[in-house]
Amino acid sequence: MILEPVDNGTDTDPSQTLTDNADLAIFMFLHQIRTGNRLSNAVRVFLIFFFAGLVHSAGDYMAYNDTRFGAMVMLVLQACAVIVEDLVQQALANIRGRPLGKSNRLWRVLGRVYVLLFTVWSWGYWVRLHLGTSYADEMGDFGLVKFAIEMIQG
């Protein structure tokens, strides 16, 4: 799953800031890594999620003086999952001898279920830190969020 730009109907893409920062970091500090290979793609994905974790952690600190970096843990776990998913897809393509192509409906549904379960599990590393705070009270009034918090609390 290589991160592609999202067309939101405007001239700027919100994710462009994160991908540009990751590309700049690779260019300036990791210029020995050739672009376009698995290693550079994995480093790029990791840096994109890492920078997003920094932004969210800064927000947690500014809003709630939270220095436990739950957002960073959650987003680094997400990056690792994306990298593993890319490696598995590449390995399957190598075994088959051709690209995977479009999945059938069953595999797409299973993939979405996997993403949802992994997201809820990794989200717990961030949300559990806030369950005893007013932040949880503010977040917990929304349907799916409330359901996820109840699942995490067990």
Side-chain angles (χ1 to χ4, degrees):
M1 171 189 165
I2 301 301
L3 297 176
E4 296 293 331
V6 178
D7 182 14
N8 61 1
T10 65
D11 291 339
T12 59
D13 178 16
S15 65
Q16 190 73 34
T17 302
L18 295 173
T19 58
D20 285 348
N21 285 330
D23 291 339
L24 180 64
I26 290 172
F27 175 76
M28 289 182 65
F29 304 110
L30 304 170
H31 55 277
Q32 295 89 357
I33 299 175
R34 288 182 325 184
T35 58
N37 62 22
R38 282 187 221 131
L39 177 61
S40 68
N41 288 339
V43 169
R44 183 173 186 258
V45 166
F46 184 83
L47 287 174
I48 289 168
F49 280 90
F50 179 80
F51 291 144
L54 285 177
V55 169
H56 282 82
S57 294
D60 283 350
Y61 179 74
M62 288 185 289
Y64 302 101
N65 202 23
D66 179 23
T67 57
R68 295 173 288 181
F69 296 100
M72 181 68 75
V73 172
M74 187 264 305
L75 286 162
V76 166
L77 287 171
Q78 292 289 325
C80 293
V82 169
I83 292 167
V84 168
E85 180 183 351
D86 286 345
L87 291 173
V88 167
Q89 287 182 356
Q90 185 64 43
L92 290 174
N94 289 343
I95 290 169
R96 291 180 66 187
R98 59 187 168 89
L100 294 179
K102 187 174 179 177
S103 302
N104 64 29
R105 186 173 296 183
L106 174 66
W107 286 110
R108 286 192 305 249
V109 168
L110 289 175
R112 287 184 176 101
V113 168
Y114 155 75
V115 168
L116 177 65
L117 291 175
F118 188 87
T119 301
V120 168
W121 172 77
S122 65
W123 195 49
Y125 284 93
W126 187 12
V127 173
R128 277 191 196 101
L129 300 176
H130 300 291
L131 287 178
T133 67
S134 63
Y135 184 61
D137 296 335
E138 294 169 15
M139 283 178 36
D141 293 334
F142 304 103
L144 190 56
V145 172
K146 184 175 183 178
F147 173 73
I149 289 174
E150 288 171 357
M151 279 183 56
I152 291 167
Q153 284 178 330

